[in-house]
Amino acid sequence: MRKALVLVILVGTVLGLLVACGPAATPTPTPTKAAVTPTPTAAPAATATPTTPPQPTATATLKPGETPKPTNTPTATSTKAPPTATSIPTATPTPTTAPFPTQVFAPKGNLIEAIQTLGLQMFDPVREDRASMCHYQAPIFDTLLGSDPKSGAIIDGIAETWEQSKDGLSWTFHIRKGLTWQNGDPITAEDVMFTYQQYLAPDAINGGTWPLEAVSGEVIDQYTFKVTTKAIDVYFGSKMSRAVGEDGVIIPKKYAESIGMKEFAKKPVGSGPWKFKDSATGVKVLYEAWDKHYRYKPNYQTLTIVMVPEESTRVAMLRTGQAAIAAIEPDSMAELSKAGVQMVMVPAVEQSAYYIWGTYDPRYAGDAITSVKVREALSLALNRQEIIDYVMEGKAAMPLPFGAFRYSVDIDVARWEQWSKEKLRYDPEAAKKLIADAGFAGFKLRFMNYDRPGSAYQKRVGEAQAAYWEKIGIDVDMQMSEWGVFSPMRREYDPVSGSQKVLAGQLTQFRAVGRPTTLDRSYSGLRWDGDERVAGSPLMKTPEALKITDLYSAAYGATDPQDRFKKTNDALQYMADLWLVVPVIEAGAYWAVNPELVGKFSGTPGRGELGEVMGRVPRPDQSPWK
Amino acid sequence: MQRYIVRRLLQGILTLFAVTVVVFALGRLIGNPVDLLLPDDATEADYKRIEHSLGLDRPVYQQLGIFYWNAFHGDFGNSIKYRRPVTEIFFERFPNTAKLAPIVMLISIGIAIPLGATAAFFRGRWPDKACTFIAVFGMATPNFWLGVVFIYVFAVFFQVLPAGGMEGPKAFILPGLTLGISHAAGMMRLLRSSMLEVISSDYVRTARSKGLPNRMVLLRHTMRNALIPMVTVGGVMMAHLFAGTVVVETVFAWPGIGQLTYQAVFFRDYPLLQAMVVAAAILMLFMNLVVDILYGYLDPRIRYS
């Protein structure tokens, strides 16, 4: 028996030592102290412009590089700080072309990226175009409008210029002349029209911009396409850029018609910087460089995106040179940095937040969470900086109001930075006082905690939230759940109140993805006629819910930039003051890079995946990390 | 024998029916795939549109009926995730798992037989204890942990084997070893017990009293008979391996049936999940039947009626 025990200890020790020694013995170059990219607090162009940027009128058409005349946008409220809206990105019809470094087309070698999942591995981008597909679709397919790699702003794409009509009900896109598809066919307005028609297919799963918002499309001439919308939506044009969504992808009419959409999905042709070569379902996708893209010339001859579900395997592949870029979780960053692996953090990809459901539901009348003071106290009880430092290893930032980011358009960034500092501060004493004043000391809070797919840190953030709430005397009843179980509950309604049958009266984790259009996410959460109905329901149109509809509709319909700026900030303020949808941290997307295989690069703010980025990733000899 | 086989096949059909009902019901209890298909801010109209296009807006009993009718005609439907026939996806992935299974089997047998025989032969002495320790270690060690340790040791530390994927023959070694070791442990314990039972039997004693050398007694008389129970375990193990090893295929990024099952569960891909479970159940039933029939040939004392 004793001998067996000694043997167990010996074997355990040897294995332990081998594992412990692993990281130090990697073939990667000397570890650098500056291995980690800057924290997301330094989001590009977030507050760089002290005054409101020039915003052209809705109908103005500009050529790339042309600078619109400056106009001052008035502040939305009486804050002392001058109105500060970021100049980039803009979701308004503001054609801009960001300067791009000239890339020489001399591709060499194979670039291998290891990611958790290849999603549906579907190469018909119209029938399946959600964000998670961008990893493997974006290298092949271009969008009508582009996104600026430095700021995440909306810039020209296949369309060189675009404008909204005076009545706000139609949009005209002017296709860049001389562009071709990867098979050599020219890109024309007919392709845009064809793509629009494909978006209307009943089996198309996409962001819904075309089927839900467009009424008709029209080919004006070979290079001009006009779309009429159901209502005025100042952000329709912006939705044609991946900075906002995925519905701007364009596919070739002639080629797709010649082989049919089913075959197209097997042998896709696009106009992006990478040509599709091969795909093995659930294994990998292969591409080869294409030299005719108007903006990006790949630096590698081939690109391989491989699916490796397990993070430790991805990291091992990265360290052994089997992969050059690997998706990781934020808690792995510190350890990997020490091992000489370089990090790329894409800032402002999403907010981890929480929702408070059904506060208007009569079943919960008189409950603590119906009190605005209590809801504000819940926020004050959270030490967000500690969550950022210890749960997120410093790889996150203080958030702005729910759904608002430092690159969001039409918002007064300085004002919301200040708001974040004041209103999202850690003040447990003030929190206790607010709860006591409201008469709910020691109340019981039902909290459903879960990880959202793609945001594996959320449960840990939720556990920290629960601990802070308990610290100020709240009796937290935390229930651990899973997205697949939680999500359907959002759409199961109580027949009397119209709020969620199970979720009403509870606080749950939630998430807002980063996009320049500020109001979209909070509106879909709070509107009474939406799915989430956090502020009111079709059966209980609360004054708050009606006010939300008024304020948000006004902002969406404001074609004048100054007017829209004011109305957007007004709506944001009203939403923030309700404390129903509350941000906790602003998180990014996290990538580990083998510096011997890939040169220094950065992601596009707000876009967690590297789909578009692959066209500009340099080799180590072109852009060394040191 | 023929009556026995027919009876077993009928039992198998009933088992398959029960399995599909359970999987069908459980699959629908764990969530709706549309929640994973649609973006964060999808509207009720989006949900209805997609549910309708996938046939998920029909009552569950109708969905089950359609499933049986189609399955009876060899059509297991289209994968919700991949939007392709599940049979097509299954047969794309199955060869990958099938390539790994025999290697795991060989490694398991290669470890289990010498260790089990040694343990039995040296019963109660240090080689027995050492082998028992190895078996306990193998059984107690979770696959995923062993896999991760192997990756760090052989891929990251020594850099002699790839960390994942299935490019080249070297890629088979780590997943094969990981699975082989864990399966070998149980087989080794079984062989040891079986051999000890045989060693104490009359015919072995007779063989020894006739003056046969130890080696011959061990190989001819003991081992042959002791291996019969191993056939049962081997058959079930083979079925398990062919049905896919979820954890190891996930850890080693091995694009086989196990990884596909994991994705189907995670994505609530009902048609794919149902097909995977039916395939696993069929494999299991088939292998059990083969083992039972083989038993009759291996052990003349066993007769089926």
Side-chain angles (χ1 to χ4, degrees), chain B residues 133-145:
Chain B
F133 166 75
I134 293 168
V136 171
F137 180 80
M139 283 193 282
T141 309
N143 273 341
F144 65 89
W145 184 81

Side-chain angles (χ1 to χ4, degrees), chain A residues 1 3-4 7-8 11 15 18-19 21-23 25-27 117-122 127-128 130 199 201-208 211-212 266 280-284 307-310 312-313 315-317 319-320 322 335 452-453 482-485 487-488 490-491 493 511-513 515 520-521 524 531-532, chain B residues 29-32 34-51 53-54 80-84 88-89 92-93 96 126 129-130 133-134 137 145-146 148-153 155-159 161-167 249-255 259-260 262-263 266-268:
Chain A
M1 186 64 182
K3 282 178 187 172
L7 208 57
V8 171
V11 170
L15 281 174
L18 284 172
V19 174
C21 291
T26 55
T117 173
L118 280 166
L120 278 66
Q121 230 167 317
M122 169 90 156
R127 273 168 186 76
E128 183 48 72
R130 291 162 308 123
Y199 267 112
D203 61 337
I205 299 176
N206 49 61
L212 297 177
K266 290 177 191 164
T281 306
V283 184
K284 62 186 171 186
M307 184 180 124
V308 183
E310 171 61 31
S312 56
T313 314
V315 168
M317 288 172 80
R319 293 169 66 179
T320 57
Q322 258 188 289
E335 188 196 332
R452 195 71 183 257
E482 196 253 346
W483 170 249
V485 175
S487 184
R490 294 183 301 160
R491 292 176 289 113
Y493 305 113
R511 180 182 75 175
V513 292
R515 49 180 62 154
D520 291 353
R521 193 64 196 89
S524 68
D531 283 355
E532 288 158 3
Chain B
L29 281 179
I30 57 168
N32 186 342
V34 181
D35 288 304
L36 297 165
L37 274 172
L38 287 173
D40 284 7
D41 47 1
T43 62
E44 184 68 17
D46 291 329
Y47 277 94
K48 283 188 174 152
R49 185 167 56 95
I50 302 305
E51 277 177 349
S53 74
L54 295 173
I80 292 174
K81 184 179 176 187
Y82 296 110
R83 310 233 205 143
R84 288 167 54 208
E88 194 181 304
I89 301 167
E92 238 173 52
R93 296 290 194 96
N96 298 338
W126 75 265
K129 285 175 182 166
F133 166 75
I134 293 168
F137 180 80
W145 184 81
L146 198 61
V148 170
V149 169
F150 278 165
I151 287 172
Y152 269 92
V153 174
V156 178
F157 188 81
F158 290 116
Q159 302 220 352
L161 294 169
M166 55 175 297
E167 308 268 325
E249 286 189 6
T250 305
V251 167
F252 288 101
W254 193 269
Q259 203 190 75
L260 193 63
Y262 167 77
Q263 286 163 15
F266 184 78
F267 205 81
R268 277 85 177 163

Side-chain angles (χ1 to χ4, degrees), chain A residues 264-283:
Chain A
F264 180 87
K266 290 177 191 164
K267 295 172 193 163
V269 163
S271 59
W274 294 95
K275 279 169 85 170
F276 173 83
K277 205 173 163 193
D278 196 12
S279 165
T281 306
V283 184

